Amino acid sequence: MARGATFEGFETTVPTRHRRSGMKVLRRGGDAVLRAELSVNWAYRVWSGLSTESRGVGRSPLDERQVALACAALDGAAARWADVAVGGTLTWRW
């Protein structure tokens, strides 16, 4: 996103001049992108109680401190989402 990638379902809140294919940006990012995706998947699995020992899951790319930080952030995000009224919106800026 920071490099101008867009993905189906994303809506920008301010106009941007960039509109590159998300897949093109992901391919250029190589190993760093793969590590980020694996880290997000691992943290989500731990946070949501899914197995981390299933075939194909692999070793954690995160240490215990990183998992704890990610889970705390997901708890905060879930709380914000839960506070949104039916029909409301949640705008997240970072």
Side-chain angles (χ1 to χ4, degrees):
M1 296 280 305
R3 292 184 181 141
T6 59
F7 299 90
E8 185 176 340
F10 280 47
E11 295 181 29
T12 59
T13 57
V14 295
T16 63
R17 62 182 198 162
H18 300 289
R19 190 152 180 84
R20 295 185 198 133
S21 161
M23 292 307 296
K24 186 181 290 184
V25 172
L26 290 177
R27 279 192 297 274
R28 288 182 183 157
D31 292 341
V33 171
L34 180 59
R35 179 170 166 69
E37 290 294 328
L38 290 172
S39 296
V40 168
N41 181 273
W42 187 271
Y44 177 76
R45 291 185 78 81
V46 170
W47 179 76
S48 63
L50 296 171
S51 173
T52 57
E53 298 179 15
S54 303
R55 182 178 175 181
V57 174
R59 293 181 329 137
S60 175
L62 304 172
D63 62 33
E64 288 183 29
R65 182 187 68 79
Q66 291 170 318
V67 171
L69 287 170
C71 287
L74 288 166
D75 285 340
R80 286 182 66 185
W81 180 248
D83 288 341
V84 176
V86 173
T89 61
L90 175 62
T91 301
W92 200 288
R93 299 181 200 286
W94 68 85

